[in-house]
Structures are given as structure tokens and as C-alpha cells.
Amino acid sequence: MRGHGGRGGHGANPYADDTRDVKGALIRLARMLGTEKLRIFLAVTLMFFAALGTALSPKFLGDATNVIVDGMQADGVDYSALARVLGFVVGLYAMSAITNFTAGIFIRQTVQNLGYRLRAAAQAKIDRLSLSWLDSQPRGDLLSRVTNDVDNITQTLMQTLNQVIMSTYSLIGILALMIWISPSLTFMTLIVLPLGIVALLLILKNARPQFRLQWAKTGEVSSIVEESFTGLDVVTAYGLEEEFEDIFDEANQGLYEAGYKGQFISQLAQPTMGFVANIGFVIVAVMGGLQVINGQLTIGGMQAFIQYSRQLNQPVSTLASMASMLQSGAASGERIFDFLDVEEMEVDSKTDYRDLIPKDQLEGTIAFENVEFSYEEGIPVINGLSLSVAKGDQIAIVGPTGAGKTTLVNLLMRFYEIDGGRITLDDVSTREFSKDSLRTEIGMVLQDTWLFEGTIEENIAFGKDGATHEDVVAAAQATGVDRLVRQLPDGYDTKINDEGGNISAGEKQLLTIARAYLSDPAVLILDEATSSVDTRTEMLVQRAMNELREGRTSFVIAHRLSTIRDADLIIVMVDGDVVEQGTHETLLAHHGAYYDLYQSQFSGPGQTEF
């Protein structure tokens, strides 16, 4: 299917930078977290006390055991001393719980702020990328990076940061106390630890590519779902539901396999470290018992050491498990940073158009001077185009599909940057002022309409900042929308969805025309704006367009030649070149390319629209 294979295909990585590694992604995430220094400092400090309380508790419980053993061997147990020790242990546990809970609050705030900044950075990045680059990417994959991958990063960090810091503190504290109790037993406990570390590194190395593939497959599935949803009418009309199901099943199976393999391999870490820890525990049980018999270690000390040897497994296993989780988060980090590192458009001028030419002096004369442009290097689309348009002229652009008609107006709007020559507005190069100020002076009505979820009034008012209800009604009346809107039960408060599915195609087009009218542009671009309306509505639109074009320079991309007979100048484009220009009558009399186009539409059954 064209949709499935377009824009580089779903399976391809459009960011093409597989050289990035987990370490690099984690370092960049750590740098972003560095902006939350105060919260991180508070969290780390609180977790130190939480880990300290957890680590000291077994040692004091061992002291409590010694109080009991010593008392049984003497005149009786000193219950007062025992109560003091146990009370102190309870206090340690309470301190550990409170400080750990409070630290968790700071960690959650820090991570959520990171997610907020990543999403904001991604949105700002989109605004700085060229339209040509965005057009070449799978939309679903891009959306997945901004949503799914950022969510995965925040969820991963939420679960791992607290655990990693606490486990690190606990590991250091437990090892220190084990050495304090018995250096020789500690050495024997740790002698098998390098085996576990080597096994852990091998596990993480094999899990990493699976997690990277998992999130790439997530983007692929998102792309397919996005295409099937936005193209639902076409899919249903052509009976392609089963084909889309097959495509989705294939991608979904790939996602399942990558996710399963990644989780399976990573989950080997914890039992592997548990196995290693149990070997160490056996050594402690045997050698510790011998030391107690030989008087080298008290029973309480042995009890505490056994607890520590078992506790040692927890932070080690937790760190192993968190390392596996970080593989998934880092894979998402690679994807979002790959996107954030995409080369941006050149820095736009900050000059406002009105700083060069005041609004009351704006005329709208436009010139293309030897303009060159290509979407792909070496494949020209516009070849040395030169064209002059006077103030208030209506320019019609005609030609076969692929001739460069829409490209011409896209260059004027600076959706794409030209490769050579220059385009001027009122004798000023469009590169000399900002794109925003340029586009405020150009109204554009496209063949493919776009409406957002909101009321009819909000969609029309979108064309002008601060538009009042009266402004919206005036624009609607001028473009023939008012009559249609008042027939609806809620009038201008009628809610429409983002696809405009609850109003007709013609009504959607009329709303976009009213929006353009409200913006009061100096230059107007109509890309076959009446193609989606019926004959009666077309008459209303044409009447509104005549009023809208009054005193304004306008470009009309025409497929139906009947709509541009009265144009001041008709430009005929073929393969990126202007091959003819003139009025309707003069071009017909010339018997050239325009004459052939006209005859193909109005002379016989082989009628064609361009």
C-alpha cells in the first residue's frame, strides 16, 4: 500500500543514527536532571538517612540478641537495656520510612519536570524543522517519540532513581558493617561477586538491542494506526480492512517479539545475582558457624552478619534489575535525542515586515527572479523561474500534475527555501524578514481543509488574533458562511471535531475561506478552493472570492479552467518552467499548451482536470 510504504516506510529509522549508545543517552538525561539540583540534593540527602537507618538496624538487633544471650548466662536478662535497644531500632525504621517517602516526593517532581521539558523541547524542535523534513517522516513514529518514548523515560526514571540511590547507599552501608563485624567473612562472601557482575554485563549487552528495537517497533505500530485512522474512509471504501489488519499484525508481532525478548533477557539478571548471593550465603553459614565455635564471633554478631549477607542480595539484585529497566529508558532516550539532534532550518530573520514597509504602504507586488528549487538534490522542480505580479492582479497557475504549481506558492510562503534566485514582496526579499510576519500578510485557502476541535466561531476566529464575534460574523456574511451557520441548531457555537466530520466538505471549505477573509491579507493564495463544493455553493464562494480578491494580489491554482477565465494573468507551468503566460483569450488564440489543456477539458469524453 502506498500509505504504508510512504515517507520512508514504517520500519526505517528516519533519524539514522544507530551509533548512539546507552551511556550517551543516560549522560544527557543526567545533564537535564542537573537543572533540578536542589530537589536532587534533598532527595539524595534524605535517602542517605533512610539507607543509614535500614543498614544499622540489623547491627542493633544483633546487640539485642547479645543482651538476651548474656543475660541467660548471668543473673537474668536486662529488659531495660533490651527495651532501649529495641526502641532505638524502631526509631531507625520509622526514620527510614519517613525520609524515604519524602525523598520519593522530590524524585517524582524532578522526573515529571524532566518529562515536561522533553515534551516542550520536542514541540519547539518541530517548529524549527523544515516542512520538507517533516513531510519525509512517518507521523506515527514522530508522535510515538514525543509521547510514548518520553512517557517511558519518565516511568523508568521514576522507578529507578529512588531504587538506584537507595540500593547504592545500602550496598555501601552493608559492606561497611559486614567488614566491621568480620573482615574475613566479608572477603569470603564477596569472592563470588565478580562472577555475578560478569554475567550481569553479558545479560545487559544482549538486552540492549532488543529494547532499542522494541521502541522502534512501537513507533512503527503507531504509524500504522495513525494512517488507518486518518484514512478510514478510503480504507473502508476500497475494502482494505484485511490488508491493514495484516500489516498491523506483522508490525504488532515484531513489537511483541522484541518486547518479549528484551524482558526475558533482562529478567535473567535478578535470578542470576540471587544465585550468586546464595552461594555466598552458604559460605557465610559454614564459616560463620566455625568462627562462633572458636569464639571469634558472638552469636549476635553472627545473626547480624547473616542478615547483612541476605540483605546484600537485595541492593545487588535491585541494581541489576534497575540496570535492565534503564536499558528500556535509555533506548527511548536515544530515540528522543536522535530527534532533538536533527539538523534545523537556518536561523530565521527577526525583522518584522511592518518594520520595513508600514501596513498602509503595503501593495502586494511580487516577483520571482531566476528561482531554482529541488526537493531532492540533483532533481530540479523549479528551473530559473522569473515572474512579476503587479498589485491587485489575479494570477491563475495551471498545468499538469507535478508541474510545480503548488511548489510555487509554497516557496512564496517560505514553507520551503529556494536553492537559487530570490523572491520579493514589494521589492524586498522575503528572506529579509521573519516567516511569521511574511505569512501574516498572505492568506491561504487549500484544497485540503483543516479544522480543529472547537466551535465554528473559534475556527473562523483562528485567522486573526483578538477577533471579536462581530468580526467573525462579518467575515462569515461576506463569504456566504453565515446563511449556512444559522441553519444549524447551535449556530456559531456548533461544535466540530478536528476532522470536521459533522459538517460537509463544502461547509468545511467555506469555513476556511471565511478564516482567510478575516485575516485581511495583502496577498491571497487559493489552491483550488472550490473543488469540494457543489455548483450552487461554488457560485456563493466565487462571489465571496471576488470580493475578497478586490484590491489584493491573488494566486489561484486552478484545476478547473472554467474558474479562471477572468484572471488578469494565466501562467502555464510544465516541469517547473513557465511555458506560457497571458489572458484566457490570448492563450487560446496562441494554440499552445494552454489551448491543449482547455481542449482536453471541454472538447469530448476524454475530459481531464489538472
Side-chain angles (χ1 to χ4, degrees):
M1 290 184 62
R2 181 181 184 276
H4 178 63
R7 300 187 301 277
H10 297 301
N13 180 355
Y15 307 90
D17 191 357
D18 291 333
T19 60
R20 300 181 67 91
D21 56 9
V22 172
K23 181 180 178 181
L26 291 177
I27 289 175
R28 294 186 65 172
L29 288 173
R31 287 173 181 169
M32 293 189 70
L33 288 171
T35 60
E36 301 282 337
K37 291 184 178 64
L38 178 59
R39 286 193 178 93
I40 293 176
F41 172 76
L42 292 173
V44 170
T45 302
L46 289 169
M47 281 190 280
F48 170 79
F49 288 106
L52 181 64
T54 302
L56 288 175
S57 298
K59 176 66 173 62
F60 285 101
L61 284 174
D63 292 343
T65 300
N66 287 333
V67 170
I68 296 174
V69 172
D70 293 344
M72 293 174 63
Q73 295 175 349
D75 298 332
V77 177
D78 186 348
Y79 289 104
S80 176
L82 180 63
R84 286 195 301 271
V85 174
L86 293 178
F88 186 72
V89 171
V90 171
L92 287 176
Y93 281 135
M95 179 195 71
S96 178
I98 294 172
T99 52
N100 193 28
F101 174 78
T102 307
I105 295 176
F106 290 123
I107 290 293
R108 285 191 291 274
Q109 290 175 337
T110 299
V111 172
Q112 289 301 326
N113 287 342
L114 172 66
Y116 174 87
R117 293 199 305 275
L118 281 173
R119 284 187 289 269
Q123 178 58 52
K125 181 72 175 185
I126 291 174
D127 294 336
R128 298 192 301 270
L129 292 172
S130 65
L131 185 62
S132 59
W133 187 90
L134 291 171
D135 280 345
S136 68
Q137 309 309 316
R139 295 179 183 176
D141 184 74
L142 179 56
L143 290 173
S144 182
R145 289 173 190 256
V146 179
T147 55
N148 294 335
D149 285 302
V150 173
D151 284 344
N152 184 49
I153 290 170
T154 56
Q155 290 300 320
T156 299
L157 291 178
M158 198 86 72
Q159 296 177 54
T160 59
L161 274 183
N162 195 313
Q163 295 292 334
V164 167
I165 297 172
M166 277 292 294
S167 296
T168 302
Y169 278 149
S170 297
L171 183 61
I172 295 172
I174 289 171
L175 285 173
L177 289 166
M178 288 173 68
I179 293 172
W180 182 17
I181 295 172
S182 175
S184 59
L185 278 181
T186 304
F187 174 76
M188 284 182 279
T189 302
L190 298 179
I191 199 169
V192 295
L193 192 60
L195 296 176
I197 294 175
V198 171
L200 176 62
L201 293 176
L202 289 174
I203 290 170
L204 296 181
K205 180 180 179 181
N206 286 279
R208 184 183 310 158
Q210 296 302 325
F211 283 122
R212 185 182 292 117
L213 181 60
Q214 174 188 354
W215 290 105
K217 288 293 184 181
T218 301
E220 182 178 340
V221 169
S222 298
S223 291
I224 296 171
V225 172
E226 187 267 340
E227 287 186 353
S228 64
F229 181 76
T230 56
L232 183 61
D233 293 344
V234 177
V235 171
T236 304
Y238 284 90
L240 298 175
E241 294 91 344
E242 291 187 5
E243 183 176 349
F244 252 104
E245 286 180 8
D246 292 341
I247 294 172
F248 177 82
D249 287 343
E250 181 182 350
N252 195 28
Q253 181 66 25
L255 174 58
Y256 164 78
E257 291 177 359
Y260 178 81
K261 289 178 181 177
Q263 292 297 330
F264 178 81
I265 295 173
S266 66
Q267 289 304 315
L268 292 175
Q270 195 160 1
T272 300
M273 296 306 298
F275 175 73
V276 172
N278 285 330
I279 293 177
F281 177 71
V282 171
I283 295 174
V284 167
V286 174
M287 301 305 297
L290 293 175
Q291 288 189 7
V292 170
I293 293 174
N294 295 331
Q296 296 174 305
L297 190 66
T298 65
I299 295 178
M302 177 63 179
Q303 173 194 320
F305 197 93
I306 289 177
Q307 282 186 274
Y308 283 130
S309 68
R310 299 302 291 173
Q311 285 185 5
L312 182 66
N313 180 42
Q314 182 178 351
V316 172
S317 299
T318 299
L319 288 173
S321 177
M322 294 303 101
S324 298
M325 290 186 65
L326 283 173
Q327 297 285 310
S328 175
S332 288
E334 290 179 70
R335 283 168 51 79
I336 191 68
F337 288 132
D338 282 344
F339 167 65
L340 293 177
D341 290 341
V342 169
E343 184 178 355
E344 301 175 1
M345 295 182 294
E346 61 185 64
V347 178
D348 192 24
S349 170
K350 300 299 181 182
T351 305
D352 191 288
Y353 187 75
R354 295 180 183 84
D355 294 337
L356 301 176
I357 301 178
K359 179 72 172 178
D360 57 356
Q361 298 179 22
L362 184 63
E363 294 186 355
T365 61
I366 293 172
F368 288 74
E369 301 175 3
N370 199 31
V371 171
E372 303 277 349
F373 175 74
S374 59
Y375 290 104
E376 297 181 24
E377 188 175 355
I379 306 177
V381 177
I382 301 293
N383 305 296
L385 174 64
S386 293
L387 175 67
S388 295
V389 181
K391 174 185 177 181
D393 279 355
Q394 178 187 344
I395 310 301
I397 308 172
V398 302
T401 300
K405 302 185 297 295
T406 300
T407 300
L408 192 69
V409 297
N410 284 342
L411 296 178
L412 174 60
M413 294 285 289
R414 289 188 66 190
F415 291 151
Y416 299 87
E417 297 294 354
I418 59 177
D419 298 327
R422 82 175 183 149
I423 302 173
T424 64
L425 178 57
D426 288 349
D427 297 323
V428 179
S429 173
T430 56
R431 285 180 175 269
E432 293 187 20
F433 41 85
S434 69
K435 295 174 184 176
D436 287 342
S437 65
L438 167 67
R439 292 165 186 167
T440 58
E441 304 301 340
I442 302 177
M444 198 170 190
V445 180
L446 302 174
Q447 184 175 359
D448 296 326
T449 58
W450 176 79
L451 300 172
F452 58 86
E453 188 168 349
T455 66
I456 287 178
E457 179 168 340
E458 289 170 342
N459 271 274
I460 297 176
F462 190 73
K464 180 182 178 181
D465 288 338
T468 65
H469 175 71
E470 290 71 22
D471 294 333
V472 171
V473 172
Q477 290 173 341
T479 53
V481 175
D482 183 71
R483 177 182 61 83
L484 298 174
V485 172
R486 295 191 183 279
Q487 293 175 0
L488 300 172
D490 296 324
Y492 287 91
D493 293 327
T494 300
K495 292 279 187 180
I496 57 177
N497 57 41
D498 56 353
E499 295 292 333
N502 52 344
I503 60 176
S504 71
E507 290 169 337
K508 288 195 291 183
Q509 190 63 279
L510 282 169
L511 289 179
T512 62
I513 293 171
R515 178 193 295 165
Y517 185 95
L518 181 61
S519 68
D520 189 25
V523 179
L524 185 66
I525 296 173
L526 305 174
D527 187 352
E528 195 55 34
T530 61
S531 62
S532 300
V533 299
D534 56 43
T535 304
R536 186 167 182 271
T537 305
E538 181 179 352
M539 294 174 61
L540 295 174
V541 173
Q542 288 290 355
R543 189 182 310 151
M545 289 299 97
N546 290 335
E547 181 176 345
L548 179 57
R549 287 195 297 260
E550 185 67 30
R552 293 184 175 90
T553 305
S554 59
F555 289 81
V556 180
I557 299 176
H559 296 177
R560 290 185 286 187
L561 303 185
S562 60
T563 63
I564 48 92
R565 294 172 185 259
D566 297 328
D568 297 303
L569 179 66
I570 298 174
I571 297 172
V572 184
M573 295 191 68
V574 177
D575 295 331
D577 294 317
V578 175
V579 296
E580 288 183 337
Q581 52 183 303
T583 64
H584 174 72
E585 290 77 11
T586 57
L587 290 176
L588 282 181
H590 187 260
H591 282 248
Y594 181 79
Y595 177 85
D596 293 337
L597 294 176
Y598 189 83
Q599 291 299 315
S600 68
Q601 286 195 23
F602 299 105
S603 300
Q607 296 177 0
T608 307
E609 289 193 357
F610 298 91

